[in-house]
Each structure stands twice: as structure tokens, then as C-alpha cells.
Amino acid sequence: MSIGNAAEEDRPSVGQALQQARNEARLTVDEVSTSTRVRVPIVQAIEADDFSRCGGDVYARGHVRTLARAVGLDPEELVAQYDGDHGGRPQPTPPAALFEAERIRPERRRPNWTAAMVAAIVAVVGFVGFTLVGGGGEQQPSKAKETPSSEPTDTATPSRPPETSVPEDQKPSDSPEASDSAIAAAPADKVTVQMTAEQDVWISARDHNGRLMHEGVLKKSKSKVFTDDKRLSLVLGNAGGVKLYVNGKEVKDVGEDGQVQRVSYTRGDPEAG
């Protein structure tokens, strides 16, 4: 057996290396999870060399790189070791295919407000038509004319889809000028995130209730601003291609080109600007 092969056999696995480094740094799993925003069960699984919970090689490589930085290991060396153990570096995946699972994730069914509103309008129009055609008498048409002025308004009001009632300060903006002004005017009791794409970037944004605020490709040189009372959760399909400003402060080292990052921010972020 050659010396090189013996050294490789003695080398700890990726999960063992992460666990040993974390213990030497006197960090708990919870502390690593908080600093990296990688969920506790996934940290524990990776330390046990179980990468099935990561959702694929692209996610697994991103988690390994993030955890390595947190515990003081060389991220590139550990990712290279992971690639060697799992058949080499994965081929780049188009953003649309990469996030197919994200789009089809089952969510609680919501009432079909649009269908309800259409049904109410159809009922009102039917009533008006019946009155005009079969009601007879001179007084019926005048009553029918009064109905559209009051009935559709009262009926349609509760049927308005929730998306149309989003407060102005939570609506995303594509304009860089609008983005800058939104950050400048953001209240201190909200969390505000501005992102500006330096390359085409697939993004997803959810509010503190988990409601999807935006999903799609942010084109190069375009910007968006999101605000929420408590927390904003983001998925970045090309973390190295976007600049983030959280509560008016630029966030450095969001990620690398092609790296998938899941981050979330609150009113107190970033802790270091």
C-alpha cells in the first residue's frame, strides 16, 4: 500500500471532519445552525455522513462549504473531498429545474377568491337581466338600474383576493430608484431587504408567515425591495450574482457564483454591517 493511499484511508470523512472541528471550536450543533442558518437536523445528518436530507449534490456541496467556514476548516478542500466521495463535481443545473421542488411544494389550499367574485358578479347580472326581460311594469327597470351601483360593490368587497390587499410597504419594486427610496424610508420596526442582480439570479422571497411574496428570475441590473414586520426568508439560486442590502447595510460574502443559499433576516440584522 502506498503512503498516499494510506493517508487517504486515515483521513476522516467529511462528516467526521466537520464534527471534530466543531468540537475543537467548542461549538454546539445549535450554535452552528444559528450562525449558518442550516437547520439542526441537516447539520446532524451531515456530521453522520448522511447527505440524503440535503436535497441533492448542489445543496449538499453548499452546506458542506458553509459548515466548513463556520468551524474553521478549508471549505474548498472539504468540498473537493465530498466530490471525490460522490463521483465528482455535479454538472451545473438550470435554475428552473433546480427549484422545481420548491415550486411544487404542497401548501395549504386557500379559498378561490377569484371564482367566488366571478360567481357573485354573474348572479347580479343574471338578476338584472331577469328583471329587465320578465319583470313587466314600468317600475322594475328603475330598480334593476339601482342594483349594479350597490350590490356588486358589497358582494365583491369580501371576495377580493388577499394578494391585492398587500400593504404598499410590502410590495417588491423593480426600479433601482424606487429601491433606494424604499430603504431610506423603511421604518425601524420593519425588516427591509434590497437585492440588486449583477447576473441573472433566480430568487424566492417569503414573509414571516411563510407566504410567497415573489418567485422568479431577477434579471441583471434589476433590483427588488421586500419588507416585512418580523422576518424575510430568501432563496438565492446564484448567490454570487446578487448584492444584498439588509436594513440599509450591505451584506458581504452572500455566496459564490452558482451557489444556492437560503437566508433569512429580521429587524436586527445584519449584526455586523
Side-chain angles (χ1 to χ4, degrees):
M1 180 184 298
S2 67
I3 297 177
N5 291 336
E8 288 186 1
E9 291 181 0
D10 293 338
R11 181 177 62 181
S13 67
V14 172
Q16 291 171 344
L18 289 170
Q19 186 180 49
Q20 290 174 6
R22 176 177 59 77
N23 289 334
E24 290 173 0
R26 299 183 181 276
L27 296 172
T28 66
V29 171
D30 286 337
E31 289 172 334
V32 171
S33 174
T34 300
S35 65
T36 62
R37 293 188 170 87
V38 177
R39 293 188 294 113
V40 168
I42 295 180
V43 176
Q44 293 172 333
I46 290 176
E47 288 190 352
D49 290 305
D50 176 9
F51 301 94
S52 62
R53 303 192 63 168
C54 296
D57 285 340
V58 174
Y59 286 107
R61 295 174 86 255
H63 290 331
V64 168
R65 181 180 281 106
T66 300
L67 294 176
R69 288 196 187 104
V71 298
L73 294 178
D74 183 347
E76 299 307 323
E77 181 177 335
L78 208 60
V79 169
Q81 182 179 344
Y82 173 86
D83 290 342
D85 294 341
H86 294 81
R89 182 170 182 172
Q91 294 297 319
T93 304
L98 183 63
F99 287 94
E100 186 65 27
E102 185 78 19
R103 288 195 293 272
I104 65 175
R105 179 179 298 169
E107 296 184 359
R108 221 177 348 181
R109 293 182 65 85
R110 298 176 180 172
N112 192 336
W113 296 105
T114 302
M117 182 171 62
V118 171
I121 294 174
V122 169
V124 172
V125 172
F127 173 77
V128 173
F130 174 80
T131 303
L132 290 174
V133 174
E138 296 298 325
Q139 299 300 321
Q140 293 299 330
S142 62
K143 291 182 179 178
K145 291 179 181 177
E146 293 175 12
T147 304
S149 64
S150 58
E151 194 68 21
T153 302
D154 296 339
T155 304
T157 298
S159 302
R160 184 178 297 121
E163 287 76 4
T164 62
S165 59
V166 176
E168 289 296 328
D169 61 355
Q170 291 190 18
K171 293 182 179 179
S173 170
D174 291 343
S175 168
E177 294 81 10
S179 301
D180 295 340
S181 62
I183 283 186
D189 60 348
K190 293 182 182 293
V191 54
T192 302
V193 173
Q194 177 194 1
M195 54 179 66
T196 300
E198 297 181 322
Q199 308 170 23
D200 286 357
V201 180
W202 191 97
I203 62 172
S204 171
R206 294 179 183 269
D207 63 15
H208 71 278
N209 290 319
R211 183 177 65 87
L212 184 65
M213 302 172 71
H214 178 80
E215 183 180 78
V217 176
L218 183 62
K219 295 293 186 180
K220 181 179 180 181
S221 302
K222 295 292 185 180
S223 296
K224 278 192 179 295
V225 172
F226 302 96
T227 62
D228 189 67
D229 293 337
K230 298 179 181 179
R231 184 185 187 93
L232 287 170
S233 299
L234 309 174
V235 181
L236 308 175
N238 179 15
V242 64
K243 276 192 174 183
L244 279 187
Y245 297 86
V246 178
N247 298 324
K249 298 180 181 179
E250 183 177 0
V251 178
K252 301 290 187 180
D253 300 325
V254 179
E256 301 179 359
D257 290 351
Q259 182 181 4
V260 178
Q261 280 287 43
R262 294 173 178 266
V263 294
S264 59
Y265 298 104
T266 62
R267 289 174 292 186
D269 289 330
E271 294 181 355

